[in-house]
Structure formats: structure tokens, C-alpha cells
Amino acid sequence: MENLMNKIVSLCKRRGFIYPGSEIYGGFSAVYDYGPYGAELVNAIKREWWKNMVQLRDDIVGLDSAIFMHPKIWEASGHVAGFSDPLVECKKCHIRSRVDHLLAEIGVEADEKMSEEEINKIFSKNKNNLKCPNCGQNDFTDVSKFNLLVKSNLGNFTDNWEKEPVYLRGETCQGIYVNYKNVLDSARVRIPFGIAQIGKAFRNEITARQFLFRTREFEQMEMQYFVHPNEEMKEYEKLREARWQYYLNLGFKEENLKWNKHKNLVFYAREAYDIEYNFPFGFDELEGVHARGNYDLSQHSNFSGKDLSYFNSEKKKKYIPHIIESSVGVGRTVFAVLTEAYTEEEIDGEVRIVMKFPKNLSPIKVAIFPLLRNKPDLVKKAKEIYDDLKKEHMCEFDDNGNIGKRYRRQDEIGTPFCVTIDFESLEKNDVTVRDRDTTKQERIKIGELKEYLKEKIKI
Ligand code: ATP
């Protein structure tokens, strides 16, 4: 499976999906940049999520809140005091590791949410069996807790800066909680309703490995759903069901998904599950679906001094809404989609690599080729078709090299349809359309091409 990881990373670089951050300066750990096809894939994934979460739902609205927020927000949320991972440093090579991850390697369960004391106890008991993942030695410092919030120097001209720094947000949902009242007062929503947002989050991750899985800058797609306390668990079950179905609709194989129920719940949570995906290094968290009680709004109410309760005008009753949430990273989704799509297969005695993305996620939907680049009539016709189709889909024009080579390139970037204009096209006004998955070719009338593709691609 390590092998699959290397293959995906190398294809992503070679074909312009994902580059290591700041590469010409020697790289920048745990930060990645999306290339031309990666940016298309990211946009398609976000579009799909937004469509599912907002466009198709009568009870969910969107939000785009700022990355910089009042420092008090991170105190209220508990991040300043408690958003930390347990860390040890190898005394030999000075590489830092997360203790819960080291313990997991030898099959001992620990949780980053445990207290320092609890985790220290488990660490001491198992210390002799642990190995530094970098140098293999067994000589560690004691466990300490490492806060993950990333500080900025915004506002460092105030006296209070050292005590109350401005952070880059560690999660997007805080922007939702602090705007809950604004949305309630300005949009046509009533409980139960949700607020959805896509945006960047930043964490000082101790060990950032495994490609896009754990990066220090990443995007989250989060939906917070506000409910009456008595409805929390019913709505939670509905959300879990909807999120599972979402991945199946995205074309994920069900055997590559599984639920993981949290054993160590934070004190306010009613229930918490993760949806895990079978990444090339094994199953791990793709998304969290959590029932959070009324913790978030109560905390912000206490810290801000603003009443964040909801008034049910029919029943004349006031209460603090409970929240259920769905939270997933864009990068982890991209990684899962790449893993799901990566295929090597033999066609006519030759191995081909093909990214079998669901058609609505493919970065390029249609590639248009004139059979030969030195025949002006063919090129002109192909250009006309390209100019027409690109109004509706992301298209690519390619007249470089032989057709087989052009197909291979499009297979590797996962283009579902290649349209070739040949000499017959000039006489009969038709083209061949080659299907990525079957490699079968069909002749389609140029006049019917748009409709044909639209039907097949269906966004
Ligand atoms: P983990 O246990 O893997 O550190 P978490 O439980 O802290 O993750 P949450 O705070 O619940 O993660 O964040 C919700 C989602 O955001 C995760 O399910 C994941 O998809 C994404 N996410 C969190 N941290 C990262 C990261 N460092 N890089 C990429 N995506 C991330």
C-alpha cells in the first residue's frame, strides 16, 4: 500500500495536481500547493459539497466568515487552554512525535483528548516498546502538551498582544457559532436549521506526514446544525445517514468507508463518530460527525455576555440550541478521491494508468484533438468544436504527438471524454468520442455532441 501512496504522490506532481509547497526554496514542511488540475479538482469537490449541503437543502444556509477573529473566541471555545496534542521529542535525532500516534503503532490506544496525566501514565507504561519513527531509537523526553493554535502578529502594536494574541483560526466552525445570531436575525431560518461554510484553517501539527492527510494549512467544509435539545439525537442519526450516503453518491466503494465511534468523549459531547476512509496507509479519519450538546453557544454566550438563546414564539419557550456537526477536510477528501480513482489496468497488452474520477469531479471534462496537427482543415474544425464546448465544460485542446500518447495523458488526469476530429469528420460532420473507462469509441454527429456530453457528464 506504501507503493500506492508513492504512485499517487508522483502522479500528482507529474501531472500538475499537487506540488510540495515552496519547492524551489527546498520545500516547506506539511504545506502543499494545488496545480492546474488540482485546483479544478478542489473546486469540483467544494462545489459538490456546497450543492449537497446548501443548494439542495431548504434548511441550511451558507456563510463565509473571516479567518481573523477576536482572541476571546479561542478562549471561549476552549482552544487556548485545551487545543493541544501530547508530544515527545527523541533525544537522539530531536524529531517530535505525537504520543498517541507512537502508541497506536504498538497497538495501544490513547487519545489526544486525554489529560496530560492520563497520557503520561500510559506512555510511561509502554515507553520501552516505543521507537522513534525517524531514527528507530528508544530515548524520549517526558510528555508535554503542545498547543496547536497558530499565532499571528496581527495587532501586535497593542499592549495586550502577548497575553491575547490573534490566532489564525484553528477550525472554521467558530465563525459559524459567533454568527449564529446574525443569521437567525437576518435570514429566513427557524430551528432546526444549519449553517455551512468552507474555509481555511491552520494548525501547528506536531507530525505532519502522509501527504494531504495532515497539513498545517488546510480547508474545512463544515456544517453546524442547530436543534432543540430533545431533537438532538434524532437529527444526529439523520445527519450520519446523509453523510454516509453523500460518499456513496460521490462514487466511493462502501468497503473503503467505516464508522469509528469515539470512546473518549469530550465532557460536553453527546455522541461522536468519525467516517474513516481506507487511505493508502490504512483506515483513518476523513470526517467527524458529532453531537455537541449546547456547549458552543453556552460558552460564547458566557464569554460575550450576549444572549444566544432561541425563542420559540409558538410555544413561548426559550432555550439554548444544541448543535450537531459535520466536519470534513478538503485535502483529505481530495486524497480519498485520488485513492479511489487510481487504477492500473491492462488494455491490449499494455498497462495504462487511469484516474477514474466520477465525471462531475474530473478536472477536465472533454479533450478535443485534431487527428493531425499539420492539416489546417482538421485543426480549424477541432478549434471550432473546442470553442463551442468550453462554454459549458472545462475542456482541453491538444494537437501534440500521436493520438495514443494524447489518450494516455488524458487518462492520467481522468478526463472522461476525448473527442477526435478526423478526415471523415470533414465529410460527415461527425467525430469520435472515446470513453475513458471502457476506451470504446463512438461516432457522434457534431450537432448532437453538446447534448450527448451534457447528458453523460451531468453536473
Ligand atoms: P485528527 O484526529 O486526525 O488530528 P481531528 O479530530 O483533530 O483530526 P477535527 O478537529 O475534528 O479533526 O477536524 C475536522 C476535519 O478537518 C477532520 O476530519 C479532517 O478531515 C480535517 N482536518 C483536521 N486536521 C487536519 C489537518 N491537519 N490536515 C488536513 N485536514 C485536517
Side-chain angles (χ1 to χ4, degrees):
M1 280 315 232
E2 259 318 291
N3 199 12
L4 174 61
M5 176 86 144
N6 292 341
K7 285 176 176 175
I8 290 175
V9 173
S10 124
L11 180 137
C12 282
K13 171 90 200 294
R14 183 172 77 240
R15 289 300 186 196
F17 282 91
I18 295 151
Y19 312 126
S22 313
E23 201 184 7
I24 61 167
Y25 285 92
F28 198 69
S29 172
V31 177
Y32 289 91
D33 296 331
Y34 290 101
Y37 300 119
E40 291 299 332
L41 183 58
V42 162
N43 285 342
I45 284 170
K46 292 200 278 194
R47 198 165 51 228
E48 208 39 53
W49 185 89
W50 195 266
K51 182 173 176 189
N52 215 270
M53 268 309 178
V54 182
Q55 188 179 335
L56 293 175
R57 298 279 300 240
D58 304 333
D59 54 346
I60 301 179
V61 292
L63 180 80
D64 190 357
S65 70
I67 287 175
F68 288 125
M69 290 193 269
H70 196 290
K72 279 270 178 305
I73 288 172
W74 301 106
E75 278 177 46
S77 66
H79 282 73
V80 173
F83 189 47
S84 53
D85 283 342
L87 162 144
V88 284
E89 192 174 310
C90 169
K91 287 187 187 165
K92 294 280 185 287
C93 71
H94 302 290
I95 286 287
R96 293 164 155 196
S97 300
R98 248 172 82 168
V99 179
D100 52 325
H101 289 171
L102 289 182
L103 289 166
E105 287 290 317
I106 58 164
V108 176
E109 248 187 63
D111 198 298
E112 82 260 30
K113 288 172 192 89
M114 284 175 171
S115 72
E116 201 162 343
E117 202 184 335
E118 276 174 295
I119 205 132
N120 243 321
K121 232 190 207 159
I122 304 180
F123 177 71
S124 305
K125 212 167 113 194
N126 294 282
K127 205 167 153 179
N128 294 338
N129 300 324
L130 301 177
K131 266 199 218 132
C132 169
N134 186 49
C135 70
Q137 296 293 310
N138 170 260
D139 193 3
F140 297 103
T141 60
D142 287 341
V143 182
S144 57
K145 281 272 194 168
F146 182 75
N147 195 292
L148 301 182
L149 282 177
V150 178
K151 277 184 198 164
S152 81
N153 68 355
L154 188 83
N156 68 357
F157 39 82
T158 64
D159 295 343
N160 221 16
W161 178 68
E162 287 290 339
K163 264 197 261 134
E164 252 190 2
V166 176
Y167 297 102
L168 297 179
R169 66 180 173 201
E171 59 184 19
T172 54
C173 55
Q174 296 302 328
I176 296 181
Y177 305 145
V178 300
N179 278 294
Y180 152 78
K181 194 83 179 148
N182 279 336
V183 173
L184 191 64
D185 293 345
S186 59
R188 293 178 53 234
V189 289
R190 269 165 169 228
I191 277 184
F193 76 95
I195 303 177
Q197 142 151 284
I198 301 177
K200 290 256 174 167
F202 304 84
R203 294 183 189 179
N204 236 329
E205 297 281 359
I206 298 166
T207 36
R209 272 173 290 146
Q210 296 162 323
F211 196 37
L212 298 177
F213 183 79
R214 190 176 302 286
T215 52
R216 298 201 168 104
E217 170 181 341
F218 56 99
E219 266 187 301
Q220 290 185 310
M221 304 185 278
E222 298 203 288
M223 195 284 291
Q224 307 290 316
Y225 201 71
F226 301 85
V227 298
H228 186 279
N230 295 345
E231 302 286 296
E232 181 172 5
M233 296 323 285
K234 191 184 89 194
E235 291 295 341
Y236 180 63
E237 283 314 312
K238 272 172 35 189
L239 183 62
R240 288 217 301 134
E241 177 59 36
R243 293 309 296 157
W244 189 261
Q245 197 51 48
Y246 164 82
Y247 289 109
L248 298 184
N249 293 348
L250 267 193
F252 283 39
K253 287 179 216 76
E254 199 156 12
E255 69 257 28
N256 285 337
L257 294 167
K258 73 177 182 204
W259 286 108
N260 174 29
K261 186 174 181 179
H262 288 205
K263 291 188 195 84
N264 298 301
L265 281 182
V266 279
F267 69 93
Y268 52 79
R270 299 278 300 272
E271 193 152 271
Y273 276 89
D274 294 334
I275 296 178
E276 295 195 340
Y277 177 75
N278 190 10
F279 290 100
F281 50 84
F283 276 95
D284 213 327
E285 174 177 342
L286 170 62
E287 152 160 1
V289 189
H290 307 147
R292 301 181 54 85
N294 69 7
Y295 177 76
D296 306 290
L297 290 185
S298 303
Q299 285 291 99
H300 285 302
S301 202
N302 291 339
F303 275 71
S304 67
K306 299 280 180 314
D307 181 8
L308 297 180
S309 56
Y310 180 80
F311 182 65
N312 182 327
S313 49
E314 281 152 34
K315 296 195 173 148
K316 305 267 178 286
K317 278 222 167 104
K318 227 169 126 170
Y319 61 91
I320 301 244
H322 284 213
I323 291 177
I324 56 172
E325 73 169 0
S326 149
S327 172
V328 54
V330 172
R332 284 191 197 179
T333 311
V334 169
F335 193 6
V337 166
L338 288 167
T339 309
E340 199 67 26
Y342 187 92
T343 314
E344 282 176 20
E345 59 189 20
E346 216 183 286
I347 300 270
D348 303 329
E350 256 189 62
V351 176
R352 73 162 180 158
I353 297 172
V354 50
M355 295 304 282
K356 294 193 172 176
F357 294 124
K359 298 184 177 68
N360 54 350
L361 296 187
S362 289
I364 302 295
K365 309 287 191 244
V366 192
I368 295 107
F369 310 150
L371 184 64
L372 297 168
R373 72 190 308 183
N374 56 1
K375 298 286 174 203
D377 289 355
L378 289 183
V379 174
K380 185 165 169 273
K381 190 93 195 150
K383 271 261 158 68
E384 272 170 27
I385 293 174
Y386 167 67
D387 284 337
D388 196 30
L389 289 178
K390 76 180 178 189
K391 290 182 205 143
E392 306 209 357
H393 307 288
M394 273 306 293
C395 294
E396 214 169 74
F397 183 86
D398 188 3
D399 60 0
N400 198 10
N402 67 38
I403 287 282
K405 208 173 126 210
R406 288 183 244 172
Y407 281 153
R408 273 199 298 284
R409 184 166 177 282
Q410 295 300 332
D411 281 347
E412 287 202 5
I413 62 168
T415 305
F417 298 104
C418 293
V419 171
T420 303
I421 291 83
D422 55 19
F423 292 106
E424 237 182 284
S425 307
L426 300 178
E427 284 162 32
K428 296 193 180 156
N429 251 328
D430 62 6
V431 292
T432 59
V433 178
R434 182 241 196 203
D435 181 294
R436 174 194 70 195
D437 298 339
T438 61
T439 72
K440 294 261 169 340
Q441 301 184 16
E442 268 188 88
R443 287 205 83 92
I444 304 287
K445 288 279 169 222
I446 292 174
E448 290 161 17
L449 187 59
K450 246 185 183 170
E451 210 38 50
Y452 172 90
L453 291 170
K454 199 164 155 187
E455 181 53 31
K456 296 242 170 185
I457 293 166
K458 267 205 206 113
I459 297 187

